[in-house]
Amino acid sequence: MSDPMRPRASLRTAVVWEVLKDALDRRVKATGRDVLDVLDTGGGSGNFAVPVARLGHRVTVVDPSPNALFALERRAAEAGVADRVRGVQGDAHGLFDVVEPGGYDVVLCHGVLEYVDDPAEGVRNVVAALRADGVLSLLAAGLGGAVLARALAGHFKEARQALQDPDGRWGEGDPVPHRFTAEQLTGLVEDAGLEVAAVHGVRVFADLVPGVLVDTEPGAVDALLKLEAAAAEVPAFHSVATQLHVLGETRDAGEV
Ligand SMILES: C[S@@+](CC[C@H](N)C(=O)[O-])C[C@H]1O[C@@H](n2cnc3c(N)ncnc32)[C@H](O)[C@@H]1O
């Protein structure tokens, strides 16, 4: 899904995309079906939904923003996958007002849990959308990455505030309502009845290195992508990642 015209964009998505693509492949093999039913809650304008549809899967995007759904429709048409992408206005709390529970092989919840009023209920809802053998791809803002970023920018009071705040916020002006540790996220996933199959740290370095070092040095983006991929798997780096990705599986899916 990396865009050769926007190499820096791939730094935001590469780790998650590789994990997700692998999870989709494993579901295809386990179910014997080439076309999976995928739900993207808070899928926005289709950063993941459109590439997933390009793999041949059917994707339903639930998002409260009409503008995002409009952009999604246009993007899906441009990518030639309009017949496989359905946008529905709704949100994680009222998910089953707009989609059927238990109807999806894979559910994505990327960059959404930060904004829902009750993250535990949000995770329970996305898990309830899964079939008996299904996979959840959960991506949310990491606490440690925000603390580190504030401190390195010289905002030491805000860094301490984020560290000590139960929601990981650095102050009134913080646009993100909730941040999470890896333990909090895996706890939410397990409490909702899934097994944690993998945890990855996302954007461990990418948001901290000065852009000029990435943009001017030949081969720097590629080398940074490889470094991010290597660090993503190492638990010690999870505590400083900008985002955390958790792959959860229903017990049936894990046994296949
Ligand atoms: C940071 S964007 C992420 C978009 C997409 N998932 C991605 O990874 O590129 C957050 C999205 O969550 C949506 N959103 C906000 N509150 C939500 C809620 N309560 N339930 C579902 N989606 C929500 C927003 O409209 C927005 O499209």
Side-chain angles (χ1 to χ4, degrees):
M1 103 186 260
S2 68
D3 179 348
M5 300 306 288
R6 295 169 59 225
R8 271 178 141 274
S10 60
L11 285 167
R12 302 181 71 80
T13 51
V15 165
V16 179
W17 179 243
E18 288 307 314
V19 176
L20 179 61
K21 211 155 41 109
D22 187 55
L24 290 162
D25 285 350
R26 282 188 286 117
R27 269 310 58 222
V28 164
K29 288 198 185 94
T31 59
R33 284 185 278 116
D34 288 337
V35 180
L36 300 174
D37 291 306
V38 178
L39 174 66
D40 191 354
T41 43
S45 60
N47 281 338
F48 286 89
V50 169
V52 168
R54 290 179 75 160
L55 295 176
H57 304 302
R58 273 187 298 267
V59 188
T60 301
V61 172
V62 173
D63 200 286
S65 161
N67 287 345
L69 292 172
F70 180 72
L72 167 75
E73 199 178 314
R74 205 178 43 201
R75 205 161 166 183
E78 280 167 11
V81 294
D83 56 333
R84 293 200 289 278
V85 176
R86 183 169 73 101
V88 184
Q89 196 171 5
D91 68 31
H93 290 299
L95 193 58
F96 302 117
D97 295 341
V98 291
V99 300
E100 286 296 310
Y104 295 89
D105 300 295
V106 177
V107 174
L108 278 55
C109 183
H110 291 177
V112 179
L113 212 57
E114 297 88 324
Y115 303 98
V116 303
D117 295 335
D118 181 346
E121 188 208 16
V123 175
R124 281 197 299 274
N125 279 356
V126 293
V127 168
L130 287 172
R131 294 198 165 124
D133 53 346
V135 171
L136 170 69
S137 173
L138 177 66
L139 178 70
L143 169 67
V147 173
L148 199 60
R150 294 324 279 174
L152 291 185
H155 303 299
F156 307 122
K157 280 188 191 159
E158 291 178 356
R160 184 161 55 86
Q161 164 88 21
L163 188 61
Q164 295 174 336
D165 182 70
D167 288 315
R169 304 186 72 222
W170 47 255
E172 285 300 307
D174 189 340
V176 178
H178 307 280
R179 292 190 181 84
F180 305 88
T181 62
E183 292 71 26
Q184 286 169 332
L185 279 185
T186 55
L188 289 173
V189 168
E190 285 168 350
D191 288 350
L194 297 189
E195 289 180 353
V196 172
V199 180
H200 286 83
V202 179
R203 287 155 58 198
V204 173
F205 310 101
D207 298 350
L208 301 177
V209 277
V212 66
L213 295 182
V214 182
D215 295 334
T216 56
E217 195 67 28
V221 171
D222 195 43
L224 182 51
L225 276 168
K226 289 189 174 122
L227 174 64
E228 290 281 358
E233 308 241 358
V234 181
F237 285 103
H238 295 167
S239 53
V240 290
T242 301
Q243 291 175 303
L244 294 158
H245 183 257
V246 178
L247 199 68
E249 293 181 344
T250 60
R251 282 166 221 286
D252 291 358
E255 280 162 16
V256 180

